[in-house]
Each structure stands twice: as structure tokens, then as C-alpha cells.
Amino acid sequence: MSFKNKTVVITGGASGLGYLCGENFAKEGANIVLVDINQKGLDDAKEKISAFTNNIVTVCADITDYDQVAGAKDVTVKEFGSFDILINCAGGAEARLLNDYTEFKDRDISVFDFGIDLNLKSAVYFAQNALKQMAEQKSGVIIFLGSITGEEGCKTNIAYSAAKSALMNGVTKSLALYGAKYNVRVCCISPGPVLTRKAMASMKTLMKRAAQPQEIVDLIMYTASDKASFITGTNYLIDGGRNIMRNKE
């Protein structure tokens, strides 16, 4: 797989799966644009990835702000002249991020709004801006990150679960239908437990382990590559068999 001269934009690119995607795509020759709200994290990620490529820029942005998302698209096109692949890695469970574990019936509705803004609206914001350029190019790939939680539901993180379910189904399918006339493919990769956080190791799977981050990135890269040129509108659950287990925690 070679992504030479392809411009890859990665949200949540300062850490976790987003950073690892940046490193892997850089090794394959891509132009890299990392987007994150964490400037220090972006600086550290850029320094590390610069060992593999000089074609990397970072954009510090709040992805829940549409104007800042549009600005990230403008920086991408100005720097590299194209927007070929979008990897939406940014997101997270609202209860954990805000340290708010009150019951849903008692929780301030702003927590729900935060979860929807971060996990759903931001991904749609980026997809729309990516499509502005991809439609002109008559080519592109958009990859959303779903989650096993979008299949299972979650009594603690209702917004996260709802957002991931929407990305895995309605958004991916709808944008694939829309993007086809512009030769733009749209897919979703939905991990089960991944060892980006130690807590993930406690989630049960048929494989009796959580995924290594590289296993998720390998599937992302395949789906983004020309080897997957006949794939669009689909969600790939990579969960070690968790979704088909009868007894799980």
C-alpha cells in the first residue's frame, strides 16, 4: 500500500489511534495533516512523525466549531493542494471526559450536548468540508471511527453510544450514497476494546484480549487504500468477537 502524494487529514491526531494513523500513513509517503485541540500534543506528534516525512502540518482546532473545521480544510488545501483521505479519530465518552457519572435522569443536559457535538456533529462537519474539495478532485475517501458501544449501547454514555451508532449506520450509508457521484468512498471502522487505555483490557472478547492499536490502524489503512476501491457504505466491526458474545461486561 502506498499513499505517496496523498493528503491525509486525521482528527484527534495528537494521540492514540489518531497519532498512530499519522505515523503509519507518513511511512507510506502521505502528506499528513494532524488536527487536535491539544497544541502541546500536536507539537510532540509532529516532532516524532517528522522522522518519517517532512510533509506534515498541524492544526490546533476545536472540532466542534464549524468555522475552525472549515479553517482546517483551508489549511490542508493551501499546504498540499488536495484533500484525499479523512480519518475521523477524534471523540470520546462524555462521562469519562467530563468526569460526570451522575445518572442520566439527573445529569445536566449540557453533558449530552457535549457528547453529541464531539462525537457526531464534528465528524459531519469534517466530512462536509472534505467533500467540498473531494468533489472538485472527483476522488476521496472518508473513514469514520465507530465503536462497539454503538452496537451495545451504554447506560453511562448515552450520547457517545448514540453518536457512534449514527456514524456506523445512517451517516456512513448516506454519505456513501451522496459521494458516489464524485468518486468518494465512505466507510466506518468500529473497534471493540483497544489498548489505547488500560481500562480496555477488562472488557471481554471471544479472543480473550483487547486489540493492539496497530490492528485497528491496519484495517483503517487497508480501507483507505486503492486495494479497497470497491468498498463503500459499509461498517467494519473489529471487536474480537465481543458483539456475538452472550455473556459480557
Side-chain angles (χ1 to χ4, degrees), residues 65 79 164 177 210:
D65 184 313
E79 290 290 331
K164 293 302 185 181
L177 288 167

Side-chain angles (χ1 to χ4, degrees), residues 89-138:
C89 286
E94 66 271 20
R96 176 175 60 85
L97 292 177
L98 297 179
N99 194 31
D100 186 335
Y101 291 93
T102 55
E103 287 194 26
F104 179 71
K105 66 182 178 63
D106 302 320
R107 188 177 292 172
D108 192 279
I109 199 64
S110 64
V111 177
F112 181 82
D113 291 340
F114 169 84
I116 293 295
D117 288 348
L118 177 63
N119 294 290
L120 179 58
K121 290 173 67 175
S122 69
V124 175
Y125 289 171
F126 261 97
Q128 188 196 47
N129 276 278
L131 277 160
K132 292 177 187 292
Q133 180 64 25
M134 291 175 178
E136 291 187 17
Q137 299 169 185
K138 295 294 191 290

Side-chain angles (χ1 to χ4, degrees), residues 67-238:
D67 290 340
Q68 292 187 46
V69 171
K73 183 268 293 184
D74 291 342
V75 168
T76 298
V77 176
K78 180 179 179 180
E79 290 290 331
F80 298 117
S82 67
F83 193 143
D84 301 297
I85 299 167
L86 170 63
I87 312 293
N88 284 285
C89 286
E94 66 271 20
R96 176 175 60 85
L97 292 177
L98 297 179
N99 194 31
D100 186 335
Y101 291 93
T102 55
E103 287 194 26
F104 179 71
K105 66 182 178 63
D106 302 320
R107 188 177 292 172
D108 192 279
I109 199 64
S110 64
V111 177
F112 181 82
D113 291 340
F114 169 84
I116 293 295
D117 288 348
L118 177 63
N119 294 290
L120 179 58
K121 290 173 67 175
S122 69
V124 175
Y125 289 171
F126 261 97
Q128 188 196 47
N129 276 278
L131 277 160
K132 292 177 187 292
Q133 180 64 25
M134 291 175 178
E136 291 187 17
Q137 299 169 185
K138 295 294 191 290
S139 66
V141 180
I142 295 172
I143 296 180
F144 297 112
L145 263 288
S147 170
I148 184 63
T149 306
E151 287 283 348
E152 295 179 339
C154 179
K155 65 183 179 181
T156 305
N157 295 290
I158 290 85
Y160 181 77
S161 178
K164 293 302 185 181
S165 182
L167 291 175
M168 293 158 67
N169 292 283
V171 176
T172 293
K173 292 174 182 178
S174 298
L175 291 184
L177 288 167
Y178 173 76
K181 65 181 178 180
Y182 297 115
N183 193 33
V184 174
R185 297 190 297 110
V186 184
C187 295
C188 188
I189 306 297
S190 297
V194 186
L195 291 175
T196 49
R197 292 189 295 116
K198 290 182 179 180
M200 295 292 97
S202 64
M203 291 178 66
K204 293 182 179 179
T205 72
L206 279 181
M207 307 304 292
K208 301 186 185 306
R209 65 176 179 87
Q212 294 295 329
Q214 187 62 49
E215 293 178 290
I216 310 304
V217 173
D218 287 345
L219 181 56
I220 291 171
M221 294 188 70
Y222 174 80
T223 308
S225 77
D226 289 341
K227 290 187 176 183
S229 60
F230 201 54
I231 297 175
T232 193
T234 50
N235 174 58
Y236 290 93
L237 198 60
I238 175 169

